[in-house]
């Protein structure tokens, strides 16, 4: 079997790449180890930057996003017994975010690819990539796929990045001594916008998916066992961390999904080796506090699409050669922002009183200075 671009992974990066390439007349095959139902139900990110929304809408896959997505013009930072709004409309006019679940993006992309006759193979076993420096090919489940280029969109635990020979990549990494317990609940959101709450008990985030479904996250210990968190404990802890301002009552309801996400910062440089190009989580990970993971994956794919379109138009490798450089600038800005938001809002066991005072001082600065608030706002909605 032969195609132009072999894509490993049907997450947002792989699916969007396949769709954007098709709009440029470039063929691809997507190989995914999980089932369609699994990838469509995997609950993950929910905040789309303006540029991500624009990319999806321009690519013709934004109809449901525009109908069901929730546009937000600000977020709340809650600490020290008060809430403070960061007003995007005022600080970064014309740019905002939209709350729309990642699995909805995935569903929309799969539907579009299949409607166009796209080739997505789910539940493929033993994917391996070969001959990366020339005439690459992929093997899976006893089959072979020859291609011009391989796109490694297989997430952090995929096979593509580890297939690059030792010594080629430089890895940059930071671990955090905590994780996030994520919860989806059938209950009307208790606030109109996202609430990022710092408390002495740890960080909590109030988010949402629709007028009937709320999404919450709690800072918990790294490697925390889900069994230690029965629903009553989750609600009690969310209340303790979020009901810290006057006139806020947390509405509770049926918990329909919960999971623990580890927190890590990671970048592999360069994001390319021979004919293999890494995109999204396969190349970099951020802690979710800045809501950047999905948006970075989409940004990589935008750059890779242009580069591949240039290559297929006239054989030019100029954009492909610059792919890693062009992505890493944005990647590192998001790395810094995500690390900074994480550091600002979480409690660290190692924190002494001095460290906590520094956090409060910076939060006071961000919520009182237009310059500091603009720094947060422009990073949150996404740098141009
Ligand atoms: P992925 O979505 O990971 O997609 C990779 C795909 O490749 C998967 O479908 C996987 O099954 C497939 N795959 C892996 N290995 C193979 C193989 N060997 N062969 C074939 N296919 C393979 N970001 C936020 O901003 N906010 C959040 O709240 C948030 N929560 C998260 C929770 C979890 C549990 C995780 C893991 C991530 C979360 N993220 C969050 C990050 C965000 O979801 C990712 O940045 C985003 O999914 C990146 O998309 P991707 O397509 O690069 O990778
Ligand atoms: C959501 C996830 C995030 O990581 C974040 O920073 C904000 C919102 C969410 O899933 O809704």
């Amino acid at each position: 079997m032969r195609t132009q671009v072999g894509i490993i992974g049907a997450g947002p990066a792989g699916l969007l790449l396949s769709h954007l390439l098709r709009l440029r007349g470039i063929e691809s095959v997507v190989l995914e180890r999980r089932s369609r139902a699994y990838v469509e139900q995997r609950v993950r990110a929910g905040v789309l930057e303006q540029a991500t929304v624009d990319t999806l809408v321009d690519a013709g896959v934004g109809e449901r996003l525009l109908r069901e997505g929730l546009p937000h013009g600000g977020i709340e930072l809650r600490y020290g017994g008060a809430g403070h709004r960061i007003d995007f409309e005022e600080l970064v006019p014309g740019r905002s975010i939209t709350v729309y679940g990642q699995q909805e993006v995935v569903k929309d992309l799969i539907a579009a690819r299949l409607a166009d006759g796209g080739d997505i193979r789910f539940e493929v076993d033993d994917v391996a990539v070969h001959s990366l420096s020339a005439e690459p090919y992929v093997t899976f489940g006893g089959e072979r796929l020859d291609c011009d280029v391989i796109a490694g969109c297989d997430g952090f635990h995929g096979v593509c990045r580890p297939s690059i020979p030792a010594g080629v990549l430089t890895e940059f990494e930071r671990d955090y001594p905590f994780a996030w317990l994520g919860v989806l609940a059938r209950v009307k959101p208790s606030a109109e916008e996202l609430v990022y709450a710092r408390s002495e008990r740890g960080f909590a985030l109030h988010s949402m998916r629709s007028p009937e479904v709320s999404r919450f996250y709690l800072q918990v210990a790294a490697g925390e066992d889900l069994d230690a968190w029965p629903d009553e404990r989750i609600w009690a802890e969310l209340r303790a961390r979020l009901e810290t301002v006057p006139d806020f009552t947390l509405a509770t309801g049926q918990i329909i999904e919960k999971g623990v996400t580890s927190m890590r910062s990671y970048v592999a440089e360069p994001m390319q080796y021979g004919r293999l190009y890494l995109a999204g989580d396969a190349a970099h990970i951020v802690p979710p506090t800045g809501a950047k993971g999905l948006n970075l994956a989409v940004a990589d794919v935008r750059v890779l699409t242009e580069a591949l379109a240039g290559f297929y138009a006239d054989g030019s490798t100029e954009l492909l050669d610059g792919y890693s450089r062009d992505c890493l600038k944005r990647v590192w800005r998001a790395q810094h922002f995500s690390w900074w938001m994480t550091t600002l809002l979480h409690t660290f066991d190692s924190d002494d009183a001095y460290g906590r005072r520094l956090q409060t001082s910076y939060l006071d600065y961000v919520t009182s200075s237009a310059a500091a608030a603009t720094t947060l706002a422009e990073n949150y909605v996404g740098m141009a």
Side-chain angles (χ1 to χ4, degrees), residues 262-283:
S262 60
M263 307 273 275
R264 183 188 280 119
S265 298
Y266 172 91
V267 182
E269 292 186 6
M271 292 167 54
Q272 177 242 341
Y273 170 72
R275 293 291 185 98
L276 169 68
Y277 296 84
L278 302 175
D281 279 16

Side-chain angles (χ1 to χ4, degrees), residues 165-181:
V168 171
L169 297 179
T170 308
E171 297 176 289
F172 302 85
E173 206 160 359
R174 185 153 294 184
D175 282 330
Y176 301 86
F178 40 75
W180 274 16
L181 171 63

